[in-house]
Amino acid sequence: MTDLLLLPGDGIGPEVTAQVRRVAGKIAPDLTLDERPFGGASFDQHGSPLTDETLAAANSARAVLMGAVGGPKWRDAPRDKRPEAGLLGLRAGMGVFANLRPALCFQPLADASSLKREVVEGLDFMIVRELTGGIYFGEPRYIEDLPGGGRRAVDTQVYTTAEIERVARVAFELARGRRNKVTSAEKSNVMDSGLLWREVVTDLHRREFADVTLEHILADNAAMQIVKNPKQFDVLVTDNLFGDILSDAAAQLTGSLGMLPSAALGLPGTPGLYEPIHGSAPDIAGKGIANPLAAILSFEMALRWSLDRTDLADKLFAAVNRALQHGARTPDLGGKLTTVEMADAVLAEL
Ligand code: IPM
Ligand code: MG
């Protein structure tokens, strides 16, 4: 069985996952690695962004690490052949419904944020984004021509009790190991799906997690609170679309999108999907200057959540922090190191 399946994907994906390979070789040489094309790269080779073989390989690995997908080259591909469709298919096909996106400010980077140091220093909260439901997958969805001219587009936001409950359960369990607080974000003031979300979270809390502090917040207010007073959050649980948006806002608190990893988890015993949350960054792809830390930290999360190597995860996390302390900076952090040199800095600390 493969321990870690690498899906480098497109843009800067191959550059940053190559550094994960180096780090894995140093810290955990016993891990078996495999690699397959994914996203636009897979479309170019096989005519599909996610082949059946790749999905099967993902489901039979212990963990999957994706680099990034997408780019201008595939902008005009049909929707179901676009690189992003491959990513959604992978998330759904692996059943990874809970997406953990840490918003963590590394001490040496407190000045790299566009927010004031006192707002972000010591920041450490976790967004739990529902990842396999909601408007990303809801049916019906289409664009139709209207008889009188013009067109009409429909997307469907849909959630079931079971989908809300299982992701909320992940959030509550996570909070118990942290500062014991969950904030649940929705739009129950205008959306029925938000109303159900709030009811299900409240009910689960009463039944199983009364020891955890629960607060509800409207998603728009959550966006404001994230930039106003982000340290109030411990675990923030929300749906797929709000989670997509709020996690980008949270990423900027921490200095750079190039720093943030994520873990997508399904039911216990199934492989997790690990992704840096930055995209394929076509503007810097191929230049060798992408920050590899988000990918390296995604590997750190894989060690922790799928590969049962918390000891190595702790070691790797500390090495990244030390590298930053000693001044290692790629251009996104205001420095001059290349992708390879940033990984070198982490390897040196290891
Ligand atoms: C993310 C990305 C993806 C999403 C895109 C690339 C499909 O923005 O992981 O946040 O919208 O989920
Ligand atoms: Mg996003």
Side-chain angles (χ1 to χ4, degrees):
M1 185 196 233
T2 303
D3 289 314
L4 185 66
L5 174 67
L6 296 172
L7 302 176
D10 311 317
I12 61 172
E15 299 166 48
V16 296
T17 46
Q19 306 315 311
V20 170
R21 237 181 212 289
R22 296 177 66 213
V23 169
K26 169 110 186 185
I27 196 171
D30 52 313
L31 289 184
T32 52
L33 306 187
D34 195 4
E35 189 170 312
R36 301 186 68 93
F38 182 61
S42 172
F43 176 76
D44 290 348
Q45 269 186 50
H46 304 292
S48 162
L50 170 65
T51 63
D52 293 345
E53 293 74 26
T54 297
L55 180 57
N59 276 321
S60 60
R62 290 177 68 204
V64 179
L65 195 141
M66 202 272 296
V69 291
K73 183 174 177 198
W74 304 281
R75 203 176 19 221
D76 297 325
R79 182 210 281 285
D80 64 322
K81 297 285 184 218
R82 292 183 51 172
E84 290 80 1
L87 178 55
L88 298 191
L90 183 67
R91 289 170 177 171
M94 291 180 69
V96 286
F97 59 84
N99 189 200
L100 278 45
R101 300 191 158 193
L104 188 87
C105 183
F106 285 81
Q107 177 63 25
L109 295 183
D111 287 318
S113 173
S114 48
L115 274 81
K116 293 195 189 82
R117 171 182 266 275
E118 60 266 28
V119 177
V120 296
E121 197 167 33
L123 181 78
D124 174 9
F125 75 96
M126 182 75 89
I127 294 183
V128 178
R129 168 189 177 190
E130 199 291 324
L131 201 62
T132 55
I135 202 163
Y136 272 59
F137 294 94
E139 297 284 347
R141 59 181 300 161
Y142 54 81
I143 303 177
E144 66 181 357
D145 291 322
L146 292 175
R151 295 189 295 167
R152 197 169 81 103
V154 175
D155 289 288
T156 301
Q157 162 84 336
V158 51
Y159 272 110
T160 63
T161 308
E163 284 175 317
I164 300 166
E165 199 170 286
R166 65 184 182 178
V167 72
R169 178 170 284 112
V170 170
F172 283 123
E173 280 168 357
L174 210 60
R176 276 185 175 153
R178 298 172 47 99
R179 298 189 302 279
N180 216 39
K181 177 176 164 188
V182 168
T183 308
S184 170
E186 27 61 11
K187 283 286 286 178
S188 57
N189 54 344
V190 288
M191 295 168 78
D192 279 356
S193 58
L195 211 52
L196 184 67
W197 185 282
R198 186 175 287 223
E199 278 175 25
V200 171
V201 172
T202 304
D203 191 52
L204 177 68
H205 176 251
R206 190 174 39 74
R207 280 187 287 123
E208 294 180 32
F209 296 97
D211 55 303
V212 180
T213 303
L214 171 65
E215 285 179 3
H216 300 280
I217 189 169
L218 296 175
D220 51 346
N221 186 26
M224 185 172 78
Q225 296 302 327
I226 280 175
V227 289
K228 187 175 171 195
N229 175 21
K231 288 188 214 165
Q232 70 187 281
F233 297 114
D234 179 20
V235 175
L236 178 62
V237 63
T238 190
D239 77 13
N240 204 342
L241 181 61
F242 296 143
D244 179 45
I245 297 166
L246 295 178
S247 64
D248 262 32
Q252 181 54 26
L253 300 173
T254 69
S256 166
L257 212 53
M259 288 298 301
L260 287 187
S262 80
L265 307 176
L267 294 172
T270 62
L273 170 63
Y274 299 83
E275 320 168 22
I277 88 157
H278 59 65
S280 56
D283 52 324
I284 59 165
K287 294 189 179 158
I289 56 167
N291 186 346
L293 291 184
I296 289 172
L297 290 167
S298 296
F299 175 56
E300 183 263 352
M301 291 189 91
L303 289 168
R304 202 177 288 284
W305 298 95
S306 289
L307 300 171
D308 294 320
R309 299 304 301 268
T310 315
D311 53 330
L312 297 183
D314 289 344
K315 236 169 115 174
L316 181 52
F317 189 87
V320 168
N321 207 28
R322 278 198 307 275
L324 291 169
Q325 239 156 32
H326 293 152
R329 300 280 189 280
T330 37
D332 57 305
L333 300 173
K336 289 201 163 64
L337 293 192
T338 64
T339 307
V340 171
E341 287 166 346
M342 182 59 124
D344 286 344
V346 174
L347 288 168
E349 300 294 344
L350 282 171

